[in-house]
Amino acid sequence: MSTTTPPSPPQRLAALPCHTSNKLRNYTPIQSFNRKDFSIRCEFENSQRWTVGCVSGTDPIHIILKPPSIPMTSAAVLGSSGKNSKRVCLFYCNEMKDLAERIASQSDAIELRNITWRTFEDGFPNLFISNAHGIRGQHVAFLASFNSPGVIFEQLSVIYALPKLFVSSFTLVLPFFPTGTSERMEDEGVHQIRVSAKKERFYFGDNILPCFESGIPLLLNRLQQLPDSDNISIAFPDDGAWKRFHKQLQHFPMIVCAKVREGDQRIVRIKEGDPAGRHVVIVDDLVQSGGTLTECQKVLAKHGAQKISAYVTHGIFPNRSWQRFSHDKGGSPENGMTYFWITDSCPQTVKEVKDKKPFEVLSLAAPIAAALQI
């Protein structure tokens, strides 16, 4: 998911000193603050700096500026090299470095930019943006990772700061939005809007343009490459998954499972469809412990599935729960998966399952690079 903020003047911006640093010393902040709750330093090529500090109140950022002389041609130079593509400066958090590099490799119009991620002794973020003057007037994007609560705070400081550096536009790219996944789909009038729930769109303010993308096209492309692509059936672990995905997968035979209660137990049964003799691919938006998927796997194998694979967009897998999924080398679909596809929306999982069968990672790099050109 990416969200684009149309350019707007900062709400809380220090008055610019005209020529000398003396005027900067005479500047009174809009609201003072003690100590660096976090600090972001932005260095220009001529070694002058902007300092960003966190303050209380409705707007958590104000900027104290000592501006350099600004060459008027800087934006024109960057834009002239790609007349047919929007030039984008892509920043990223540490967790997303690998994905950021893959995104940049998709297009010459995407330039990777660095942030130095450090902390003070008390653990608060101390971040450094080199040559921040170079992004003035440019389209800027930040590739974030919100899948771990421990890294959200320091990224929020960057998200607040970058739009205030006089950029042309700011796009926040969130491959995994933990308050609700972007893979859910509902019909609304003549348009299809992919949201976790209708209210999820309204989580964002009026000056945010949310753009929801799906990972299902990546799965479709991978299924076409399989030697038994003509023997694929799609299984959904519950009615919710069917509602979200069936329109994108409607040319495949479908199987719908359901959880039913028997006494004190909830078990999975096949509600409709026949898996006998088929390579069945279980599709859902995310996986955590994997309990539902394994129960679905067992009932499909019991009803004669020849092979069983799975796809989830977001492989969260807390506490390394991916280890419960073994590889079926042939003939034992009740005990293992032929393939387990995930995307690289959760970078920690990607590192843990690398080169471990049955897992394969379908990268979001190409669709994100395309979305940055919107």
Side-chain angles (χ1 to χ4, degrees), residues 38 40 52 60-61 93 117 125 127 142 144-146 149 151-163 170 172 174 203:
F38 67 74
I40 302 178
V52 182
I61 297 292
C93 69
W117 301 81
L127 313 180
F142 178 65
S145 173
F146 279 11
V151 299
I152 291 178
F153 177 71
E154 63 183 10
Q155 292 179 73
L156 287 176
S157 62
V158 173
I159 292 166
Y160 282 122
L162 285 174
F170 175 70
L172 172 63
L174 273 174
Y203 177 88

Side-chain angles (χ1 to χ4, degrees), residues 141-301:
F142 178 65
L143 178 62
S145 173
F146 279 11
N147 65 296
S148 172
V151 299
I152 291 178
F153 177 71
E154 63 183 10
Q155 292 179 73
L156 287 176
S157 62
V158 173
I159 292 166
Y160 282 122
L162 285 174
K164 296 177 182 287
L165 298 182
F166 299 102
V167 299
S168 178
S169 69
F170 175 70
T171 301
L172 172 63
V173 183
L174 273 174
F176 174 49
F177 189 35
T179 62
T181 69
S182 63
E183 282 300 323
R184 304 182 187 252
M185 178 176 287
E186 297 177 3
D187 282 345
E188 191 170 283
V190 296
H191 302 286
Q192 286 191 339
I193 300 179
R194 303 182 193 100
V195 290
S196 156
K198 287 185 179 179
K199 65 181 181 181
E200 199 64 47
R201 281 174 301 151
F202 305 111
Y203 177 88
F204 304 101
D206 292 340
N207 63 337
I208 301 295
L209 304 176
C211 174
F212 296 92
E213 299 290 339
S214 173
I216 293 297
L218 300 174
L219 172 64
L220 291 172
N221 182 62
R222 184 66 182 95
L223 293 180
Q224 291 175 358
Q225 299 170 4
L226 297 180
D228 58 350
S229 59
D230 59 346
N231 193 42
I232 299 291
S233 290
I234 301 296
F236 303 105
D238 51 39
D239 286 333
W242 177 84
K243 290 178 182 177
R244 293 191 290 274
F245 300 117
H246 76 279
K247 290 186 178 178
Q248 292 175 287
L249 299 163
Q250 58 187 336
H251 55 288
F252 290 99
M254 293 186 184
I255 301 158
V256 181
C257 299
K259 291 180 180 179
V260 297
R261 183 174 293 278
E262 287 190 357
D264 294 333
Q265 293 184 332
R266 287 174 63 89
I267 64 173
V268 174
R269 287 184 173 175
I270 294 178
K271 182 179 177 181
E272 59 182 83
D274 183 10
R278 307 288 292 181
H279 182 175
V280 181
V281 179
I282 307 169
V283 175
D284 209 350
D285 54 351
L286 60 82
V287 59
Q288 298 219 39
S289 68
T292 299
L293 287 182
T294 54
E295 290 302 313
C296 190
Q297 173 188 0
K298 290 176 183 178
V299 72
L300 291 169

